[in-house]
Amino acid sequence: MSHDEFDRVLAEPDPLRQARAATELMALYQQRGVELARLRKEAITRAADENDMTLTAVAAELGLSKGRITQIRQTAPGPERAVFGVGPLTLGVPLRAMPDRPTGVIAAEDGNAAQHMTELLTRLQFQVQPFQIPTTGEWEPPNDAVAICGPKSSPVTAEAIESDPYLSFTGDESGQWAIRERETGTVVESPMDTGDSDSDVAYVGRLTYAGRRVFVIAGVHSLGSLGAVEYLADNLPAIYAEVGTANFSMVVRSSFDDGTPTQTEAICPPRAHP
């Protein structure tokens, strides 16, 4: 963190702008403190494993008590937190245009997915800032972001997915969308479009857009996004073990009972991008 940002807050003469800037910088400092705690916890575990050391020996090397090491390991977030970045996180959900609601509405499935995603991110000690992506789909992630939004709803999401070397997400002339394997041309259609109204698929990827990391969750239909969030909640440590902090992408298939996910699986497993 540059001292210039701190100094700018100190030097800001307008009290309202100073208060806003101080609040934003405090949130950033807090989130970086959480990330440092995560890194320290992971480093302690690595030191014990890679150097064949007991935690007591690691504690002695760090000048800490064994009790303090235990406390660190119990209170700091798990290493899988890094999949979403450092934070604070912007959680974007698209507004969908309706004839009688010109400003747009949030689909019920998207709202449920955002609620479950917020719960997951909060458990990982992120500060989450909700954001409604306008009906035009134009927005600029202000920091690390999670977008529960497909390419049909936002050119920003479309451009981010276009950078994926393995998967694409495209629609045909009839308006039907599907996920495609770039190398093989294999098309992953939503079961909802082929007769199974209780299943859907979703694209999941950590991508780069305009120099920022954006975590994209994009169901072919809105239900697919909800299932993908459920999959992440159950499998995030395994995803982190596979790809670490690299950009990656995958496809999740989910089955539902009255809109509630009952089973989720990775039909295209997570692959780190070069």
Side-chain angles (χ1 to χ4, degrees):
M1 171 59 62
S2 169
H3 288 296
D4 292 344
E5 292 176 290
F6 183 77
D7 292 339
R8 277 196 293 270
V9 175
L10 288 177
E12 172 57 57
D14 183 276
L16 290 177
R17 285 199 296 266
Q18 188 178 50
R20 280 193 290 267
T23 299
E24 292 171 359
L25 197 56
M26 287 170 66
L28 186 58
Y29 281 165
Q30 190 274 341
Q31 291 286 265
R32 296 209 170 183
V34 172
E35 177 62 9
L36 287 171
R38 183 201 71 82
L39 285 169
R40 179 172 61 175
K41 175 180 177 178
E42 187 175 26
I44 288 169
T45 300
R46 286 177 49 220
D49 293 343
E50 295 174 8
N51 300 327
D52 194 24
M53 300 171 67
T54 66
L55 290 178
T56 301
V58 173
E61 287 289 333
L62 297 178
L64 301 172
S65 67
K66 173 93 179 289
R68 178 63 179 136
I69 290 287
T70 300
Q71 183 185 41
I72 289 169
R73 286 163 56 85
Q74 289 175 342
T75 59
E80 65 273 11
R81 180 185 192 272
V83 169
F84 297 109
V86 175
L89 283 176
T90 297
L91 177 58
V93 179
L95 290 167
R96 302 181 186 275
M98 299 285 288
D100 58 339
R101 299 286 295 274
T103 58
V105 297
I106 295 175
E109 296 87 349
D110 287 340
N112 288 338
Q115 178 182 342
H116 288 289
M117 193 71 209
T118 299
E119 292 169 358
L120 170 59
L121 295 172
T122 301
R123 288 199 300 271
L124 295 169
Q125 299 183 33
F126 281 107
Q127 292 186 25
V128 182
Q129 302 164 347
F131 179 79
Q132 296 180 349
I133 299 171
T135 55
T136 62
E138 297 289 352
W139 67 300
E140 184 174 346
N143 44 39
D144 290 339
V146 176
I148 302 176
C149 179
K152 180 181 178 181
S153 300
S154 173
V156 173
T157 304
E159 185 176 337
I161 295 175
E162 189 58 32
S163 70
D164 187 329
Y166 300 125
L167 299 171
S168 65
F169 199 141
T170 56
D172 60 21
E173 293 179 356
S174 69
Q176 184 169 307
W177 288 74
I179 303 166
R180 182 186 300 270
E181 287 264 8
R182 293 188 187 274
E183 183 175 355
T184 65
T186 301
V187 176
V188 181
E189 296 180 299
S190 169
M192 295 180 71
D193 296 324
T194 57
D196 181 359
S197 61
D198 293 325
S199 299
D200 197 13
V201 294
Y203 174 97
V204 176
R206 175 177 161 132
L207 307 165
T208 300
Y209 172 81
R212 297 188 184 278
R213 292 289 180 90
V214 180
F215 196 97
V216 174
I217 301 168
V220 172
H221 300 279
S222 297
L223 268 181
S225 296
L226 178 59
V229 172
E230 184 83 6
Y231 179 88
L232 290 168
D234 293 338
N235 296 278
L236 196 61
I239 294 173
Y240 178 73
E242 185 68 28
V243 301
T245 59
N247 284 359
F248 75 95
S249 55
M250 63 187 301
V251 179
V252 173
R253 174 172 172 154
S254 307
S255 299
F256 301 87
D257 181 9
D258 195 25
T260 300
T262 56
Q263 183 177 359
T264 63
E265 61 176 330
I267 57 174
C268 293
R271 288 176 289 181
H273 297 176

